[in-house]
Amino acid sequence: MTTTVVAPPTSATNPYVDSLQRAARVNWRLEDIIGADRRLDFNKRFLPDLLARVDRIGCLDGREKRILNQIRGNSYLHLFALAEEFILPAVLGQVSEGGTADITATQALLHFAEEESKHIRLFRRFAEAFEAGFGSPCDVIGPVPQIAAAVLQHSPLGVMFATLLLEWATQHHYLASVQGNDAEDLDPQFCSLLRHHWLEEAQHADLDTLVLQRMAGELDSDAIRTGADDFFRIVDLLEGGLREQVGLDLTSFTRATVRVLDAAEIEAVTSCQRDSYLWTFLGSGLSHPRFQETFAQVCPDHLPRLREASARYGGAA
Ligand SMILES: [Fe+2]
Ligand SMILES: [Fe+2]
């Protein structure tokens, strides 16, 4: 009997090897980010103004802007926890699909899923800390399982593009708005959350890209078109949720500040915050060059729709 020696995969033969190595280098624990003496400072803003856009609302004073910023911080926690609730099953679906055919890919995707579970716990822990310290209740969209299930009704290609969009968006949420931002005195814990989340999301974005490239090789043009249609349906669904969140924030703001806004002030806050939400959660991902590059590889016929959507949500086309 002869034994064939199979060489272990290397990054030259299997891109998932690289991914696993990079993931191991940036891996962090929940305890490193929140808990013990790591507390939210409610005297500071939580989100950079590039994301929360409260500074341009002329009818609010400094304290009111800080409170609205913190409400945006809280909704950020809930919205990303919500996103992870559909990303996690989508990734596990890819694990089941692949089985043990490429065990390195399976290990990388399982690690990805494990990190998303950790992120859900991270966002929930921050949300608990927020609730304990903010002083009045804040409303958020839901029910989360129902929204996640509505997203997951779409084809895996559509869901995976929605995942990629959100993961590239987190790059804007840290690199473009928090890293090196000395102009704003932001809560260090919230900055740490954005940084640590981004570090792992950067690995996920690479894995999504590999999964999407594999899918593209297996699907015919009809299935690709269905995937693109589904992706834009998910974007519409997310837009609806974000628009609803703007109204909930206004109620939370009024409750927290006991400020009565007149009709013109409500319109000023609403229009500014609506644009801000759409840019932060959709435009920043849709316009990301790496997202557009992968979309162009997989769905070249649907690129004009992507450019139109990106411009609609405040990103470059
Ligand atoms: Fe995540
Ligand atoms: Fe992720």
Side-chain angles (χ1 to χ4, degrees), residues 22-34 77 80-81 84-85 87-88 110-126 193 195-201 203-204:
R22 277 185 280 117
R25 281 199 293 273
V26 299
N27 199 242
W28 44 262
R29 300 173 318 148
L30 205 58
E31 298 71 33
D32 301 331
I33 323 265
I34 186 88
L77 302 171
F80 255 100
E84 312 277 22
E85 296 250 1
I87 293 173
L88 176 56
L110 281 170
H111 187 72
F112 176 173
E114 191 269 335
E115 287 183 342
E116 296 296 33
S117 316
K118 181 177 67 177
H119 297 174
I120 293 174
R121 291 179 60 225
L122 174 76
F123 290 122
R124 287 182 184 170
R125 284 280 293 278
F126 266 78
L193 171 133
R195 175 173 176 271
H196 285 90
H197 191 223
W198 154 245
L199 283 172
E200 293 187 344
E201 292 303 297
Q203 317 311 317
H204 300 176

Side-chain angles (χ1 to χ4, degrees), residues 71-88:
I71 291 169
R72 287 291 308 271
N74 180 58
S75 76
Y76 188 95
L77 302 171
H78 283 276
L79 291 168
F80 255 100
L82 187 162
E84 312 277 22
E85 296 250 1
F86 69 76
I87 293 173
L88 176 56

Side-chain angles (χ1 to χ4, degrees), residues 12-57:
T13 57
N14 187 330
Y16 290 96
V17 170
D18 230 15
S19 168
L20 269 172
Q21 286 169 348
R22 277 185 280 117
R25 281 199 293 273
V26 299
N27 199 242
W28 44 262
R29 300 173 318 148
L30 205 58
E31 298 71 33
D32 301 331
I33 323 265
I34 186 88
D37 59 345
R38 296 180 182 86
R39 297 198 180 95
L40 293 173
D41 182 350
F42 286 88
N43 292 310
K44 295 181 187 292
R45 293 182 178 196
F46 292 166
L47 285 178
D49 202 55
L50 200 65
L51 305 184
R53 289 196 200 175
V54 297
D55 275 340
R56 61 188 73 180
I57 305 175

